[in-house]
Amino acid sequence: MRTVAIYGLTTVGATVAASLVSQHQVDELIILDPDEHRAVAVANDLKLAYPFFKQVRVQEWSSLAQTKVLVVACGELNSVQPQLKNQVELINQVQDQITESNFRGIVINLMQPNEAMTAFIQRQWQLPPQLVIGTGTMSDTQALKLAIGETLQLAPSNVTGYVYGQHDGRLVPAWSTFRINGRFNDQVISGHKLDQNKVTVNARLTNYYIKRGQAGVLTATRLTLVLIQAIFEDRQTVFTLAVNQPQFGGYVSFPVMIGQNGVQNYLLLKLYPLEEAQLKVARQAIADQETQLTQK
């Protein structure tokens, strides 16, 4: 049975819940929230909107024992400076419920700062690192592919490559990994020579405009659904996620293969020396955020 739990039912969490049901990606839904009134409200909203879907459990933490995926969608999606104390409390206050439920599924974290909060969740809830992932730089990778595609008048699907590092922070566009129609990105393509700096700025602007308008719900929802589908169908698909990367000493956004058992393999591509150095800087920035979280 495809059972998904969602902890945090503000705009993003509720939208993920509705999308899972409307797109028939879930057989059973467990909805959890620090505010019980909100959980009950969302459950009733789902019943009215999708009367065909009967399997909704409200605030049943014990049901996590049979849950394959737990989406953590608490907090402020696009706050420039998330209230770290509140973020920490939201994770700590359910630590006992997680432990007592004997949850052994996969956590998908949407909380910000993403890499640091994913590391904090893994540590506080004492779950295996390969089962605790964050959306990381998935959106940043997609934004860069989109910017390249628009510049070269190509579909983004013709662009491959990865943005590593720290979402909303020390991004590392790994140009060594990018190919366009299978060709190196420094070649003339469709009569255009790619300006890496320009497309990087355009990609950042895309995310900036989303944050400035307090949007991002659609992107977060879509990324979450893609990850859940990859897990349930054991697709072994590669995404740039916030994961524990032993080579860099902790959580950082890195391309990994995802399947029914969480992180299956790391995609160990040969990076330019500068990219490796930038990735180490990103990891240190994340480590500094983790320290702030433990002090709250």
Side-chain angles (χ1 to χ4, degrees), residues 7-273:
Y7 174 47
L9 298 169
T10 51
T11 306
V12 177
T15 304
V16 170
S19 298
L20 284 169
V21 173
S22 66
Q23 297 183 29
H24 303 280
Q25 279 191 234
V26 64
D27 300 314
E28 184 176 51
L29 196 59
I30 301 166
I31 55 177
L32 310 162
D33 195 89
D35 184 341
E36 186 168 351
H37 294 295
R38 181 186 293 137
V40 172
V42 171
N44 282 281
D45 206 6
L46 284 170
K47 290 177 183 177
L48 285 177
Y50 308 103
F52 64 86
F53 191 78
K54 307 295 185 183
Q55 300 301 316
V56 180
R57 297 178 183 269
V58 183
Q59 302 292 78
E60 290 190 17
W61 289 91
S62 61
S63 297
L64 289 180
Q66 292 82 42
T67 301
K68 183 62 177 176
V69 177
L70 168 58
V71 178
V72 180
C74 296
E76 304 158 77
L77 179 66
N78 275 324
S79 174
V80 176
Q81 293 182 317
Q83 298 298 313
L84 297 184
K85 183 177 180 180
N86 294 341
Q87 308 283 70
V88 167
E89 288 178 355
L90 290 168
I91 297 306
N92 286 342
Q93 70 186 26
V94 298
Q95 183 175 344
D96 290 343
Q97 289 97 314
I98 294 291
T99 301
E100 292 168 6
S101 72
N102 198 32
F103 171 71
R104 289 296 179 268
I106 298 168
V107 172
I108 299 176
N109 173 46
L110 308 183
M111 295 178 79
Q112 305 297 332
N114 193 255
E115 290 83 7
M117 281 304 306
T118 306
F120 184 75
I121 289 169
Q122 186 270 322
R123 182 170 59 252
Q124 296 303 106
W125 291 356
Q126 299 181 4
L127 299 173
Q130 71 271 18
L131 298 181
V132 184
I133 61 177
T135 48
T137 55
M138 281 182 76
S139 63
D140 303 289
T141 298
Q142 185 59 30
L144 187 52
K145 291 179 180 180
L146 178 64
I148 292 171
E150 289 178 342
T151 298
L152 301 179
Q153 300 179 0
L154 294 170
S157 57
N158 291 327
V159 182
T160 58
Y162 306 98
V163 175
Y164 296 59
Q166 180 191 30
H167 176 63
D168 272 349
R170 299 280 186 169
L171 292 175
V172 184
W175 288 106
S176 58
T177 69
F178 274 84
R179 303 290 183 270
I180 303 160
N181 286 338
R183 301 166 64 186
F184 289 100
N185 62 78
D186 59 355
Q187 300 177 6
V188 175
I189 299 170
S190 302
H192 298 273
K193 184 72 161 53
L194 192 67
D195 184 331
Q196 295 180 354
N197 290 330
K198 184 176 180 179
V199 295
T200 299
V201 169
N202 289 343
R204 286 179 179 268
L205 282 173
T206 296
N207 283 324
Y208 167 75
Y209 291 135
I210 290 172
K211 285 176 64 67
R212 185 181 67 175
Q214 291 296 303
V217 174
L218 299 179
T219 300
T221 300
R222 177 58 182 161
L223 298 182
T224 304
L225 265 59
V226 167
L227 285 173
I228 290 173
Q229 186 174 35
I231 291 167
F232 279 132
E233 298 180 4
D234 197 22
R235 289 194 169 189
Q236 309 292 310
T237 307
V238 174
F239 303 104
T240 46
L241 301 174
V243 295
N244 182 55
Q245 221 295 13
Q247 179 184 350
F248 291 90
Y251 271 80
V252 67
S253 281
F254 199 91
V256 291
M257 188 177 293
I258 291 294
Q260 64 181 355
N261 296 316
V263 177
Q264 306 291 98
N265 291 297
Y266 300 93
L267 193 64
L268 301 176
L269 301 175
K270 185 172 179 57
L271 302 176
Y272 296 143

